[in-house]
Amino acid sequence: GAVVSQHPSRVICKSGTSVKIECRSLDFQATTMFWYRQFPKQSLMLMATSNEGSKATYEQGVEKDKFLINHASLTLSTLTVTSAHPEDSSFYICSAPDRRTGNEKLFFGSGTQLSVL
Amino acid sequence: EDQVTQSPEALRLQEGESSSLNCSYTVSGLRGLFWYRQDPGKGPEFLFTLYSAGEEKEKERLKATLTKKESFLHITAPKPEDSATYLCAVQAGSARQLTFGSGTQLTVLP
């Protein structure tokens, strides 16, 4: 299946710093990237949808100025958590549909565990 | 609003002890129901997509079935390596994103 590479896998940072998470589609073009966050033993919650070359669409309750999403190319989307605070600690996962599979199957990155001290 | 409910939250089985996981859903215009496996600290791994009531799909020890209200993931003679969290998700209407259930954490004891 299609591969989505996500980095870093784990990051620990001090409160107030910014953290950038990258997701790359390795063998297909990802015109759309979905960003999810997951708290321990809870489900994946959609944060935002990014489309290559246009502004991201954020879900209700997600601060767009805090979670900056850039989708500058067909193979790279980034999520930047600005001025991170301990409550932002979570598992962040990206996913993208592969148009070759009819757009319905999502391929996920391996996730980024963010811990804010 | 689309809703997906999975049960049980956690399930412990002995190796070889078959069982089923449930995913109940309430959506408007189901386009697909997905099953994923998630290992700790990893992203979900795709297992199956089901599109219409009555459809079944199998992969090794796993079989997924779908009705108009729920889906089951049957695990036959599980092995310890089947231990993981199994996530159910739906895609509905014109949306491409998935709505996930909270998952069933399966532990298979040797």
Side-chain angles (χ1 to χ4, degrees):
Chain A
V3 177
V4 177
S5 177
Q6 183 172 349
H7 295 279
S9 58
R10 181 178 294 274
V11 58
I12 301 173
C13 69
K14 292 183 178 180
S15 186
T17 60
S18 294
V19 174
K20 179 185 281 188
I21 301 170
E22 289 190 352
C23 276
R24 295 181 184 272
S25 55
L26 297 186
D27 54 353
F28 69 104
Q29 293 182 334
T31 55
T32 299
M33 190 75 75
F34 300 107
W35 288 92
Y36 290 85
R37 67 188 293 181
Q38 186 179 32
F39 292 105
K41 298 190 177 183
Q42 293 188 26
S43 184
L44 281 76
M45 298 299 295
L46 182 67
M47 297 175 63
T49 303
S50 72
N51 292 291
E52 185 267 336
S54 62
K55 289 184 178 181
T57 303
Y58 291 82
E59 296 300 302
Q60 191 172 9
V62 178
E63 299 176 58
K64 63 179 181 180
D65 294 331
K66 180 166 190 61
F67 298 99
L68 300 179
I69 290 175
N70 185 281
H71 196 151
S73 77
L74 289 172
T75 59
L76 175 64
S77 178
T78 62
L79 167 67
T80 301
V81 183
T82 62
S83 187
H85 288 92
E87 58 266 29
D88 298 323
S89 298
S90 186
F91 192 58
Y92 293 86
I93 312 175
C94 61
S95 70
D98 181 354
R99 287 182 293 181
R100 297 171 300 180
T101 65
N103 260 345
E104 81 278 355
K105 187 190 297 185
L106 292 188
F107 296 90
F108 285 83
S110 54
T112 297
Q113 182 63 54
L114 171 63
S115 299
V116 184
L117 305 178
Chain B
E1 184 179 331
D2 301 337
Q3 289 192 338
V4 181
T5 303
Q6 290 188 247
S7 62
E9 289 185 9
L11 181 63
R12 291 167 69 91
L13 301 174
Q14 290 295 135
E15 184 171 2
E17 180 186 1
S18 301
S19 188
S20 296
L21 314 182
N22 177 265
C23 171
S24 298
Y25 62 91
T26 304
V27 300
S28 178
L30 179 73
R31 286 175 43 219
L33 185 139
F34 300 75
W35 283 98
Y36 284 85
R37 169 191 170 128
Q38 186 177 26
D39 292 300
K42 300 286 181 63
E45 176 187 342
F46 172 80
L47 293 175
F48 304 108
T49 310
L50 302 167
Y51 297 101
S52 58
E55 188 174 1
E56 298 182 354
K57 288 192 176 174
E58 285 188 68
K59 180 181 178 180
E60 296 180 352
R61 296 178 291 281
L62 300 176
K63 183 169 103 172
T65 62
L66 181 65
T67 72
K68 289 185 177 181
K69 294 183 179 181
E70 57 191 350
S71 176
F72 291 94
L73 184 65
H74 306 278
I75 302 177
T76 302
K79 298 181 178 182
E81 53 261 42
D82 295 323
S83 297
T85 295
Y86 291 84
L87 298 169
C88 169
V90 297
Q91 191 178 53
S94 59
R96 284 182 296 168
Q97 70 268 25
L98 300 182
T99 300
F100 282 85
S102 53
T104 293
Q105 185 175 4
L106 174 67
T107 303
V108 181
L109 304 171

